[in-house]
Amino acid sequence: MEYLRKFKFIKDNRSRRRYAAMVNYIDDSIGMLVDQFNQSGLWENTLMLVMSDNGGPVYKFGGANNYPLKGGKRSNFQGGIRVNAFLSGGYLPEELRGMKKEGLIAECDWYTTFTSIANVSGYDETSALIGLPPVDGLDMTKYLFDPSPDAKSPRQRVYLGQFYKNGENRPYGGGIGSGIILNKWKLLKNSVLYPFWTGPQYPNASGFPAHIPALDCGKVGCLYNLEEDPYEYHDLASDPGHKAVLRMMQMEWNAMMRSYYDNDVGEPDPVACTVANSLYEDFWVHSDNILPLTKKATDLAMASIIRR
């Protein structure tokens, strides 16, 4: 609760105050890790990556803001997929510190990159034996450690998944491919959540945008030029001057779908949801409360099983 109190000056929106407190807590936690590495004499040989897994949640009670980007978490607009990331640590050469890289990097690239830096194989023999596809990551080592401002990322394409499966209102259920980025071009298909932009200070006393339906890009798709229009104001799919680009991106999407792998994650378990919601009740749990909360969660879970 001390972190919430630090941000009590944010009075116009409780969710924004809570989100600010969480980010501050994460920042302090990373600082404690760095202190431990320094005290242990390990920091000079450490390469630390800090990144977000997705854009901030702009839906009700989310509390985040991706201004000036469009959309947010659960959406394939740039506000949902273009995230902050940085490298630090003594292993990072002095000449690279403070540099900004603009090339495409996908989350899966970090595994391949770190295995390369550690000089170990990223090949997963166990996964291969049971028929799983290889890791999609590309090795970014040369790009990241090149001090030249003209260095180019080896990644040209980013494949975008989908939050909802086949249009069903079922979160985290896998789903068909929702879009693709090829250099400066971006094609989105199907329904895309949160097709709106937030202001510099969001959420605020005005609350959250209400009743804004998902944007239906359909089978043809919505086409954006991210170089000229990074905030996705202009859908170029119906522009005759971009007919050839649209066709090229549709062909890229079709090629992507031929090798698409969708993991079967099964169905949500309501008992698991009951335990999670009852155990944590929110983002904040004091250590003194964990045991009684665990008993409460267990009792609720047992009651749910009995009702079945």
Side-chain angles (χ1 to χ4, degrees), residues 14 82 88 103 139 150 179 224 251 281 295 304:
R14 180 185 177 189
R82 182 178 177 179
S88 184
D139 185 0
D150 299 322
Y224 300 96
M251 292 174 65
E281 295 183 335
K295 184 179 185 305
S304 297

Side-chain angles (χ1 to χ4, degrees), residues 233-272:
Y233 286 113
H234 308 293
D235 176 11
L236 303 173
S238 60
D239 180 2
H242 290 86
K243 186 176 180 179
V245 175
L246 177 62
R247 179 58 183 160
M248 174 194 70
M249 293 299 290
Q250 289 171 334
M251 292 174 65
E252 287 282 344
W253 186 86
N254 290 332
M256 171 189 76
M257 292 305 298
R258 283 195 290 270
S259 62
Y260 182 85
Y261 175 79
D262 186 10
N263 192 37
D264 183 8
V265 298
E267 298 292 334
D269 187 338
V271 174

Side-chain angles (χ1 to χ4, degrees), residues 87-107:
L87 288 169
S88 184
Y91 187 85
L92 195 67
E94 289 275 357
E95 60 184 349
L96 297 176
R97 298 176 188 182
M99 284 193 67
K100 183 178 180 180
K101 297 282 186 175
E102 299 281 357
L104 289 174
I105 299 179
E107 192 172 42

Side-chain angles (χ1 to χ4, degrees), residues 6 25 32 67-68 75 78 102 107 111-112 119 129 135 158 169 184-185 191 215 223 234 257 299 302-303:
K6 287 172 65 175
Y25 174 80
M32 288 189 290
Y67 176 84
S75 169
Q78 290 296 89
E102 299 281 357
E107 192 172 42
Y111 171 79
T112 305
N119 197 29
L129 288 174
V135 176
V158 175
N169 186 17
K184 68 178 183 178
W185 297 106
S191 294
L215 177 65
L223 180 67
H234 308 293
M257 292 305 298
D299 292 343
M302 290 304 296

